[in-house]
């Protein structure tokens, strides 16, 4: 997903869930900040590097793919962008090494989604924003894993875009190219993807790189054969998934605001969103590289307030100038605390499932401020 | 990292440094040793790729490509091992190209790192510079028999040092409940 959904659509979802304009902006800012809080950025504001929620292309090119490098990559990408659906999934006749990768495949409505939302309960709005980013990505990034893996994340030339015609679909073959500067050509279904690297742990095989930005476009419906699915085809219907993601965000934020006592998986705030369904679906289905303008307009109509454009450095000075003991009370301080908690949870659950791909995890029980058991 | 992985990384780092130092300190007639190391590395790499195919890639779409790659690399490794001798100039050319390319890429990346405000640009720049100097050395001293051993040895010592440092890095992430 891109800024259109993580920032503007998240704002709309927060507002519909009952947050006011300012609160919705903070949640949306935090959700979008997940895609930009890299180690390089944290270094520039002297923040904790463990709180990195993404890696810049530059950082990834430098990342070593030895065991430690892979664990670091997996902690970031599995925790914030490709939340594993089932850490105990089974598949016959596979080796342990294969299964460790297979079990990190992302998908919606896994147990970790529930744990993540419960973790954000009672926490600052920054944690809500982080959780909304991850929840939304479980829909967009389904079927890919947040760890470099050729045998899981690879795709081949057998890739088609589907266009609705009458009751059915017509297929159009997708062409991939590797130019990082040319924008995707929606009219001719020409998209940029990562180069094929035959090495299992190549950074090119991280997440949905081999499928390009297709998972990030809300309008896209496509079918392909994923590397891991025994030559079975998958049809990915983004318009349907993005709508569900939106309604699940509204439901989750209603829970986080205390409107319901329990967060249930596979439950959506369809009733709350119903009034706006047609408008939302029309934005989602529109073929465009980025839908920020449409979402922004919708959000401003909802709240009657202006939604400021996302500014990466909006809170940098506040954090930089704060005294050491006051940093955790700043916007970015609350965000980094939330990010470390989220990374800790996901790493811990992966480790407890017997999978060492995200590294080792040590549990500490917080008994009071600054004291641990 | 498990304790076993740490020990493995430490020992392989130590061995690499030892071999590198031997090459640097006694570089005479080292062409065969360099060829032997290349052949060994390619053979082990080929076997690794084949193992990867049989345990993982054979389930993957188009996984057979990995099988072919493994067979070719293994064949190349065995072939290199069977060569009686290769003129040093070929090995030097190979080393010069590798170092020049890596050096150029590192320097370009350091410029990118400056643009993003990343802290590691100095390290990248010095890596790039050293690589370029090594490439120039390969060309400038191609008539000296010891050049191959020294350049190759420096590379192995550096890789060994990185392995040893990796063996002591923190890998545990704390989860506060």
């Amino acid at each position: 997903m891109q800024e259109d959904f993580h920032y503007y659509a998240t704002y709309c979802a927060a507002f519909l869930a009952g947050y006011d304009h300012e609160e919705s902006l903070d949640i949306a800012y935090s959700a979008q900040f997940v895609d930009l809080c890299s180690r390089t950025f944290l270094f520039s504001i002297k923040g904790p590097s463990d709180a990195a929620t993404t890696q810049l292309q530059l950082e990834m090119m430098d990342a070593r793919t030895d065991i430690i490098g892979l664990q670091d990559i997996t902690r970031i990408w599995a925790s914030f962008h490709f939340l594993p659906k089932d850490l105990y999934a089974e598949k016959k006749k596979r080796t342990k090494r294969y299964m460790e990768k297979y079990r990190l495949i992302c998908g919606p409505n896994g147990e970790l989604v529930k744990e993540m939302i419960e973790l954000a309960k009672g926490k600052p709005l920054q944690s809500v924003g982080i959780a909304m980013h991850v929840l939304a990505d479980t829909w967009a990034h389904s079927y890919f894993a947040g760890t470099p893996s050729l045998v899981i994340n690879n795709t081949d030339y057998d890739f088609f875009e589907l266009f609705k015609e009458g009751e059915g679909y017509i297929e159009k073959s997708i062409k991939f190219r590797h130019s990082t500067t040319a924008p995707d050509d929606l009219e001719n279904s020409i998209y940029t993807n990562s180069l094929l690297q035959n090495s299992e742990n190549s950074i090119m095989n991280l997440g949905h790189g081999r499928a390009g930005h297709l998972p990030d476009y809300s309008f896209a419906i496509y079918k392909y054969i994923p590397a891991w699915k025994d030559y079975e085809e998958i049809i990915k219907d983004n318009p349907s998934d993005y709508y569900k993601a939106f309604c699940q965000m509204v439901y989750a934020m209603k829970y986080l605001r205390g409107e319901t006592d329990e967060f249930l998986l596979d439950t959506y705030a369809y009733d709350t969103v119903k009034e706006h369904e047609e408008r939302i679906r029309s934005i989602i289905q529109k073929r465009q590289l980025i839908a920020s303008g449409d979402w922004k307009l919708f959000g401003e109509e909802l709240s009657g307030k202006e939604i400021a454009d996302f500014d990466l450095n909006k809170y940098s000075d506040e954090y930089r100038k704060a005294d050491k003991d006051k940093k955790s009370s700043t916007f970015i301080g609350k965000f980094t605390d939330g990010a470390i908690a989220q990374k800790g949870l996901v790493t811990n659950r992966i480790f407890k499932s017997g999978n060492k791909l995200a590294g080792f995890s040590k549990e500490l029980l917080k008994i009071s401020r600054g004291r641990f058991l | 990292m498990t304790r076993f992985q740490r020990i493995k990384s430490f020992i392989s780092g130590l061995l690499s440094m030892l071999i590198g130092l031997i090459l640097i300190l006694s570089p005479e007639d080292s062409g065969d040793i360099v060829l032997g190391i290349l052949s060994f590395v390619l053979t082990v790499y080929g076997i690794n790729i084949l193992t990867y195919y049989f345990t993982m890639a054979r389930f993957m779409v188009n996984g057979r490509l990995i099988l072919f790659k493994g067979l070719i690399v293994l064949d190349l490794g065995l072939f290199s091992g069977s060569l009686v001798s290769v003129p040093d100039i070929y090995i030097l050319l190979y080393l010069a190209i590798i170092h020049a390319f890596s050096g150029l890429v590192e320097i370009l990346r350091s410029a990118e790192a400056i643009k993003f405000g990343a802290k590691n640009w100095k390290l990248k720049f010095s890596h790039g510079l050293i690589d370029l100097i090594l490439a120039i050395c390969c060309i400038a001293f191609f008539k000296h028999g010891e050049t191959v051993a020294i350049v190759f040895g420096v590379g192995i010592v550096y890789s060994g040092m990185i392995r040893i440092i990796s063996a002591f890095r923190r890998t545990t992430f704390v989860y506060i409940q």
Side-chain angles (χ1 to χ4, degrees):
Chain A
M1 280 178 176
Q2 315 177 89
E3 185 176 343
D4 49 7
F5 206 89
H6 285 315
Y7 186 60
Y8 295 104
T10 302
Y11 171 90
C12 301
F15 196 81
L16 286 173
Y19 288 105
D20 66 26
H21 169 69
E22 293 299 331
E23 290 171 331
S24 302
L25 267 184
D26 284 352
I27 292 169
Y29 188 93
S30 305
Q32 171 61 12
F33 194 49
V34 172
D35 270 344
L36 297 150
C37 185
S38 62
R39 285 211 169 92
T40 301
F41 174 80
L42 287 167
F43 170 74
S44 73
I45 60 162
K46 296 189 168 49
S49 70
D50 271 349
T53 55
T54 191
Q55 290 178 295
L56 297 177
Q57 219 167 10
L58 171 84
E59 295 172 350
M60 287 202 283
M61 296 311 284
D62 280 345
R64 292 171 63 84
T65 46
D66 58 5
I67 300 163
I68 297 173
L70 281 175
Q71 289 172 345
D72 184 49
I73 294 167
T74 307
R75 270 197 295 272
I76 292 176
W77 293 92
S79 300
F80 298 102
H81 309 278
F82 296 86
L83 195 70
K85 184 179 169 78
D86 185 359
L87 290 173
Y88 300 89
E90 291 294 343
K91 202 166 176 74
K92 282 181 185 163
K93 295 179 186 167
R94 298 292 191 271
T95 57
K96 183 175 181 289
R97 191 176 161 217
Y98 184 98
M99 289 309 292
E100 284 190 342
K101 303 247 174 170
Y102 179 78
R103 287 173 177 154
L104 293 189
I105 294 175
C106 172
N109 291 311
E111 271 306 309
L112 268 174
V113 171
K114 188 175 161 68
E115 288 195 70
M116 171 185 75
I117 298 295
E118 285 168 355
L119 181 75
K121 178 107 175 166
K123 300 272 169 48
L125 296 173
Q126 288 77 359
S127 296
V128 178
I130 294 169
M132 289 309 108
H133 181 109
V134 183
L135 184 150
D137 271 355
T138 60
W139 290 93
H141 297 170
S142 294
Y143 312 127
F144 294 100
T147 192
S149 175
L150 181 71
V151 294
I152 301 297
N153 294 326
N154 193 23
T155 61
D156 72 349
Y157 54 86
D158 206 8
F159 221 115
F160 299 90
E161 196 167 358
L162 305 178
F163 296 88
K164 263 204 171 127
E165 197 176 75
E167 291 297 297
Y169 292 96
I170 54 161
E171 291 178 5
K172 191 173 174 184
S173 181
I174 286 176
K175 283 187 192 128
F176 283 112
R177 61 183 169 195
H178 311 301
S179 163
T180 50
T181 47
D184 288 340
D185 180 350
L186 304 186
E187 204 178 317
N188 299 304
S189 295
I190 302 173
Y191 298 95
T192 296
N193 74 342
S194 60
L195 275 168
L196 171 63
Q197 289 283 324
N198 275 331
S199 156
E200 167 66 10
N201 293 327
S202 164
I203 202 73
M204 295 287 181
N205 299 320
L206 170 67
H208 62 75
R210 292 283 298 141
H213 276 303
L214 278 163
D216 291 327
Y217 294 134
S218 59
F219 62 82
I221 306 175
Y222 50 94
K223 69 171 187 180
Y224 69 104
I225 302 174
W228 53 268
K229 211 168 185 299
D230 306 322
Y231 286 86
E232 261 182 63
E233 219 166 48
I234 274 181
I235 294 181
K236 180 77 167 65
D237 185 347
N238 279 357
S240 163
D241 286 350
Y242 274 57
Y243 186 69
K244 281 185 175 173
F246 186 86
C247 295
Q248 195 174 37
M249 284 203 300
V250 176
Y251 167 71
M253 284 190 277
K254 277 172 171 276
Y255 162 77
L256 291 171
R257 292 186 72 250
E259 283 191 29
T260 51
D261 293 331
E262 196 185 358
F263 176 81
L264 300 171
L265 290 173
D266 213 5
T267 310
Y268 311 87
Y270 288 134
D271 287 345
T272 312
V273 182
K274 197 173 175 117
E275 193 186 330
H276 310 283
E277 182 176 348
E278 205 177 314
R279 174 72 176 275
I280 292 169
R281 285 198 190 274
S282 76
I283 298 173
I284 286 174
Q285 287 165 6
K286 190 170 166 186
R287 279 181 83 77
Q288 54 186 337
L289 287 174
I290 188 127
S292 294
D294 290 330
W295 279 112
K296 182 176 178 169
L297 200 65
F298 176 51
E300 289 178 342
E301 281 173 26
L302 278 178
S303 66
K305 301 264 175 64
E306 193 196 342
I307 305 171
D309 288 344
F310 182 84
D311 171 14
L312 175 62
N313 290 309
K314 188 176 175 184
Y315 298 106
S316 301
D317 267 352
E318 181 205 19
Y319 185 83
R320 225 180 265 128
K321 287 174 184 165
D323 291 334
K324 206 175 173 187
D325 57 330
K326 298 273 179 355
K327 283 203 190 288
S328 58
S329 321
T330 63
F331 190 97
I332 292 182
K334 289 175 189 168
F335 178 89
T336 53
D337 284 352
I340 290 172
Q342 167 72 10
K343 206 186 271 188
L345 168 77
V346 178
T347 304
N348 180 263
R349 295 303 183 258
I350 295 174
F351 176 69
K352 275 173 100 170
S353 73
N355 190 335
K356 307 279 192 316
L357 277 182
F360 288 73
S361 170
K362 193 160 82 179
E363 285 185 38
L364 291 180
L365 187 64
K366 192 170 184 174
I367 47 176
S368 68
R369 193 180 162 82
R371 293 183 63 216
F372 302 96
L373 208 59
Chain B
M1 261 188 171
T2 61
R3 194 169 295 172
F4 176 70
Q5 284 165 336
R6 281 184 197 280
I7 293 170
K8 206 172 90 178
S9 187
F10 182 77
I11 291 174
S12 65
L14 215 58
L15 279 177
S16 299
M17 284 180 71
L18 206 66
I19 294 169
L21 285 174
I22 291 171
L23 282 173
I24 294 168
L25 297 175
S26 49
E28 308 83 30
D29 301 324
S30 52
D32 289 346
I33 301 176
V34 173
L35 200 64
I37 294 172
L38 274 177
S39 160
F40 176 75
V41 169
L42 280 174
T43 307
V44 170
Y45 182 46
I47 293 169
N48 265 343
I49 298 174
L50 288 177
T51 310
Y52 169 61
Y53 170 76
F54 287 111
T55 56
M56 291 175 86
R58 74 190 170 101
F59 305 112
M60 178 186 85
V61 172
N62 296 331
R64 209 161 288 176
L65 283 174
I66 303 291
L67 175 66
F68 300 147
K69 184 182 162 188
L71 288 172
I72 290 169
V73 174
L74 179 64
D75 192 43
L76 210 62
L78 296 174
F79 173 71
S80 317
S82 70
L83 291 174
V84 179
S85 70
V86 172
D88 282 359
I89 184 74
Y90 292 122
I91 304 174
L92 275 173
L93 272 177
Y94 165 80
L95 289 175
I97 292 169
I98 293 280
H99 282 296
F101 183 73
S102 316
L104 211 62
V105 169
E106 281 291 280
I107 287 173
L108 286 174
R109 279 196 191 159
S110 75
E112 207 181 343
I114 293 172
K115 205 171 85 187
F116 283 98
K119 61 178 172 181
N120 57 351
W121 75 268
K122 284 179 193 162
L123 185 71
K124 295 169 88 51
F125 187 76
S126 42
H127 272 170
L129 212 60
I130 291 169
D131 267 326
L132 281 182
I133 291 170
L134 286 175
I136 293 167
C137 286
C138 289
I139 309 282
F141 302 110
F142 78 96
K143 283 185 180 163
H144 299 266
E146 295 94 3
T147 313
V148 171
I150 294 171
V151 173
F152 201 72
V154 168
I156 296 180
V157 168
Y158 182 72
S159 141
M161 274 163 59
I162 296 289
R163 276 172 188 270
I164 290 175
I165 292 168
S166 293
F168 291 103
R169 275 165 66 187
R170 178 177 75 98
T171 60
T172 303
F173 200 88
V174 174
Y175 170 50
I176 298 166
Q177 288 176 305

